[in-house]
Amino acid sequence: MAKVLSIHSFRGGTGKSNTTANVATLLAAEGRQVGVVDLDIQSPGIHVIFGFDQDQVMKHSLNDYLWGDCELRAAAHDVTPGTNGAFPGRVWLVPSSMRPADIARVMQEGYDVNRLNAGFRKLVDELALDVLLLDTHPGINEETLLSIAMSNALVIVLRPDQQDYEGTRVTVAVAKKLGVPQTMLVVNKAPDVFDPEAIKRQVEETYGCPVAAVLPHSDDLMVLSSEGVFALRYPDHPLTGLYRHIVAQLEG
């Protein structure tokens, strides 16, 4: 059985998609077959981190599946780094469309969220996935509730910011009501003046769930500007080590 992981944040701008891309890549580097679905349909973007050019490569997107125009497998694209076989696992991305007309249609007409559950399970079987990562839309809506409810684990990404703390409190409460087996927090973009261990203790005491990592603000990550997966560009960077720590806890 594949493990389904939702990577979520209550607000945008937390680094959720970067976290998802790095976790997916590190899992594939260990030989895992990994699927990534961009559920942030109104503001998609994780495809950029994987270097996926929608104009040149994409035939189908998640939008096409949700509107009944294709099977979900047809929207899954191999974005594995080093596709010459040097990478032991694979990363399959189901992107959401960046076309303005498609985004406008989603906002005006919506879509049948019930198709997601069946599509995910079929995709897991067809691609023989070990892990399915769901890069969720920020906040709480029907799609978010469905993805969280079907997950074996939920990773909530937050910044050390009061608004993020309040929103995370809501998300943790929802996860508990939905009976998610494993919930963990990732505190991202922590300023250097903050003590990571103090942040970890405070957040764990506040929410009653473990903190997988406290990720510091990184100028190197900012300079990369989502033009690639950080863990591949900087394999020996301390931040990459923290991403590996997150992966180890998810696998455990």
Side-chain angles (χ1 to χ4, degrees):
M1 291 289 291
K3 192 169 188 177
V4 179
L5 310 175
S6 283
I7 313 292
H8 184 66
S9 63
F10 191 80
R11 299 169 67 210
T14 61
K16 168 178 60 67
S17 292
N18 258 305
T19 300
T20 303
N22 279 278
V23 167
T25 300
L26 290 171
L27 283 166
E30 296 180 353
R32 304 285 195 272
Q33 302 295 314
V34 183
V36 178
V37 182
D38 189 351
L39 289 174
D40 196 355
I41 301 175
Q42 295 181 15
S43 53
I46 195 171
H47 62 278
V48 176
I49 302 172
F50 285 113
F52 181 80
D53 188 335
Q54 292 200 5
D55 293 331
Q56 298 295 322
V57 182
M58 187 174 71
K59 292 183 179 180
H60 293 292
S61 67
L62 177 64
N63 306 62
D64 296 315
Y65 169 72
L66 293 174
W67 294 326
D69 296 331
C70 71
E71 291 296 323
L72 194 56
R73 172 65 182 86
H77 305 269
D78 190 343
V79 294
T80 310
T83 51
N84 58 4
F87 220 67
R90 313 235 47 88
V91 180
W92 298 88
L93 173 67
V94 177
S96 286
S97 175
M98 281 288 293
R99 298 185 181 103
D102 291 341
I103 295 175
R105 181 179 173 186
V106 166
M107 297 180 70
Q108 292 171 359
E109 301 177 12
Y111 55 89
D112 182 6
V113 296
N114 294 317
R115 285 181 60 83
L116 288 173
N117 196 344
F120 292 161
R121 298 191 186 285
K122 190 173 181 181
L123 186 70
V124 165
D125 291 338
E126 291 178 340
L127 295 179
L129 298 179
D130 298 305
V131 181
L132 179 64
L133 289 171
L134 307 178
D135 185 22
T136 68
H137 180 71
I140 300 294
N141 58 23
E142 189 177 0
E143 163 268 306
T144 301
L145 292 173
L146 176 64
S147 62
I148 291 176
M150 68 177 294
S151 297
N152 303 110
L154 170 66
V155 177
I156 305 171
V157 183
L158 67 150
R159 294 167 298 185
D161 172 273
Q162 193 59 41
Q163 291 186 55
D164 276 18
Y165 288 155
E166 289 297 317
T168 298
R169 190 186 309 277
V170 173
T171 309
V172 171
V174 168
K176 289 180 179 178
K177 282 187 174 294
L178 293 174
V180 179
Q182 180 185 20
T183 300
M184 62 179 63
L185 307 175
V186 171
V187 182
N188 197 19
K189 302 182 180 181
D192 291 339
V193 295
F194 288 9
D195 177 12
E197 285 301 317
I199 294 175
K200 183 175 185 294
R201 286 194 303 271
Q202 177 187 357
V203 172
E204 288 183 339
E205 290 172 2
T206 300
Y207 301 110
C209 60
V211 172
V214 177
L215 308 179
H217 168 82
S218 171
D219 288 339
D220 292 326
L221 181 60
M222 294 296 292
V223 170
L224 186 58
S225 301
S226 297
E227 293 183 357
V229 178
F230 187 86
L232 292 177
R233 297 288 186 91
Y234 300 94
D236 300 319
H237 197 283
L239 181 57
T240 299
L242 290 171
Y243 284 134
R244 289 196 179 99
H245 186 64
I246 296 171
V247 169
Q249 293 188 68
L250 287 169
E251 290 181 318

